[in-house]
Amino acid sequence: MLFRSLPTLQKNYADASPLIKSTILTAFNKIGYFRNPKLLLDALQEQDHVLVALAAKGLAQDSLRSKNYTAKIITAYEKLPKPIDPETAGMIFQALGKIGDGKAIPLLKQAMRTPDRAFSRLAARALHRIDDQQPIEIARFTKPHSDFEYEDR
């Protein structure tokens, strides 16, 4: 029954709001439908951090082909608008760690140098999962930053 609804979800994805898109991607991830990863690969092209993270998570679950997606996930991460919040980055890092492809090591090492302790720690966990012999240096502090600007009118 669930598999019959997948074509409808795929068809409606392109015109959906970000909230509906995230619901569709979450459904795909829970169902574990990987015969046709087109929707997840298309979602990597989004500019919404959560949508890219959900797509990466889904692609990482495809154990037979997941290493084929490493470069696409890295490219999607690098194209995301900055700043990227630690929770979303953590989902992407976790997906890369689960895939276990060494191609992700440079990105994760760079992320570990981010002056945000939570962000750095999430990258270190993923790096350790790929190669537990890599030296781990987590940021010692979190540099104060603002994700938005407030304007008093």
Side-chain angles (χ1 to χ4, degrees):
M1 175 90 165
L2 284 174
F3 289 106
R4 288 197 315 241
S5 65
L6 293 176
T8 304
L9 292 174
Q10 285 178 304
K11 186 175 78 174
N12 293 321
Y13 180 84
D15 298 325
S17 70
L19 178 62
I20 299 302
K21 287 181 177 183
S22 68
T23 304
I24 290 170
L25 292 173
T26 300
F28 264 70
N29 291 345
K30 286 186 179 187
I31 293 168
Y33 182 77
F34 306 116
R35 269 187 273 161
N36 183 358
K38 183 181 179 336
L39 178 68
L40 296 172
L41 291 168
D42 288 349
L44 286 180
Q45 305 307 311
E46 298 279 357
Q47 290 297 300
D48 185 294
H49 298 169
V50 174
L51 298 178
V52 170
L54 288 169
K57 180 180 177 181
L59 291 167
Q61 292 179 68
D62 183 356
S63 60
L64 295 177
R65 297 177 290 197
S66 62
K67 285 196 177 183
N68 297 336
Y69 307 132
T70 303
K72 292 177 190 238
I73 293 170
I74 290 169
T75 300
Y77 173 81
E78 290 172 339
K79 288 182 178 180
L80 285 174
K82 307 301 185 255
I84 301 172
D85 67 279
E87 292 82 10
T88 305
M91 288 175 66
I92 296 169
F93 298 158
Q94 186 177 26
L96 291 169
K98 183 174 184 173
I99 292 170
D101 191 338
K103 289 185 227 168
I105 290 174
L107 172 88
L108 295 170
K109 282 185 170 183
Q110 179 184 1
M112 281 176 25
R113 291 190 293 273
T114 301
D116 183 314
R117 189 163 173 78
F119 198 94
S120 180
R121 182 178 289 131
L122 292 164
R125 283 185 191 145
L127 179 62
H128 183 74
R129 190 163 181 188
I130 294 171
D131 181 358
D132 62 1
Q133 301 302 308
Q134 288 286 329
I136 304 293
E137 284 190 42
I138 297 172
R140 295 178 194 220
F141 64 94
T142 297
K143 180 180 173 186
H145 60 84
S146 175
D147 293 346
F148 63 92
E149 293 182 22
Y150 173 77
E151 196 175 296
D152 192 16
R153 295 180 192 215

